[in-house]
Amino acid sequence: MVKFAKKASNFEQSAKAKGSNLRVSYKNTRETAAAIKGKSLHRAIKYLENVIEKKEAVPYRVHNGGIGRKAQAKQFKLCTQARWPEKSCRFILSLLHNLEANAEVKELDVKRVKITHIAVKRAPNTRRRVFRAHGRINGHLRQPCHIEMIGCETPKPVTKKMKK
């Protein structure tokens, strides 16, 4: 059994998805994940597709050193820095599709699934070589990451009975 950072509050009403040692930037993925937390599953998928098409941007709130200001960041509260991290969006998008399939297998209503937990953690660095001029070789480190997410089905709204 795979260990998650957080347990689902209601196991029967939730679905999980996880990716380990993904070769995608930790910092970009962390900001992308923070942007979709709390959104419904279909809205998160549409949002990431819009980011890939550069119709919407991902706000950078924590790892924002050297990130330029963008006009699309005006829609976010107290944030002026944004980017369009395409590779991170593609990785998270594939996990969202996996989460959707897992929810369908558990016979959940996919339209009411909301992302309640998403965590991005650093994975061990991978080492490579970069060949430089004059026969020199430098090291090149990659910062991969682990991504895990839990989607819970929101309860149906109860209609209030009218008094006569």
Side-chain angles (χ1 to χ4, degrees), residues 144-156:
C145 62
H146 309 302
I147 307 171
E148 62 185 41
M149 59 181 71
I150 298 174
C152 292
E153 185 179 34
T154 56
K156 289 183 180 177

Side-chain angles (χ1 to χ4, degrees), residues 74-135:
K74 289 179 188 175
Q75 64 182 338
F76 305 110
K77 189 175 183 180
L78 300 173
C79 184
T80 59
Q81 296 165 306
R83 274 189 179 170
W84 303 273
E86 185 177 330
K87 189 174 178 182
S88 296
C89 289
R90 292 193 190 280
F91 274 85
I92 293 179
L93 199 55
S94 67
L95 280 176
L96 286 175
H97 289 304
N98 186 280
L99 182 74
E100 184 178 21
N102 293 344
E104 288 174 359
V105 167
K106 290 183 92 171
E107 297 178 356
L108 301 178
D109 186 7
V110 180
K111 293 179 182 175
R112 293 191 294 126
V113 172
K114 184 178 177 182
I115 299 169
T116 56
H117 167 74
I118 183 163
V120 180
K121 299 179 180 179
R122 290 183 190 267
N125 286 348
T126 57
R127 298 186 65 88
R128 299 180 82 180
R129 290 178 169 183
V130 175
F131 296 94
R132 307 303 295 264
H134 308 295

Side-chain angles (χ1 to χ4, degrees), residues 17-34:
K18 183 172 184 169
S20 297
N21 294 315
L22 303 176
R23 289 183 60 182
V24 61
S25 168
Y26 163 75
K27 292 182 179 182
N28 289 345
T29 309
R30 184 247 174 247
E31 299 291 352
T32 307

Side-chain angles (χ1 to χ4, degrees), residues 19-66:
S20 297
N21 294 315
L22 303 176
R23 289 183 60 182
V24 61
S25 168
Y26 163 75
K27 292 182 179 182
N28 289 345
T29 309
R30 184 247 174 247
E31 299 291 352
T32 307
I36 65 167
K37 184 177 181 182
K39 287 183 167 51
S40 68
L41 185 62
H42 285 295
R43 173 64 184 125
I45 290 172
K46 185 66 179 163
Y47 175 74
L48 293 179
E49 288 171 352
N50 286 343
V51 170
I52 291 171
E53 295 172 4
K54 296 193 176 181
K55 293 179 181 176
E56 291 185 79
V58 173
Y60 277 64
R61 293 190 165 101
V62 176
H63 303 290
N64 57 2

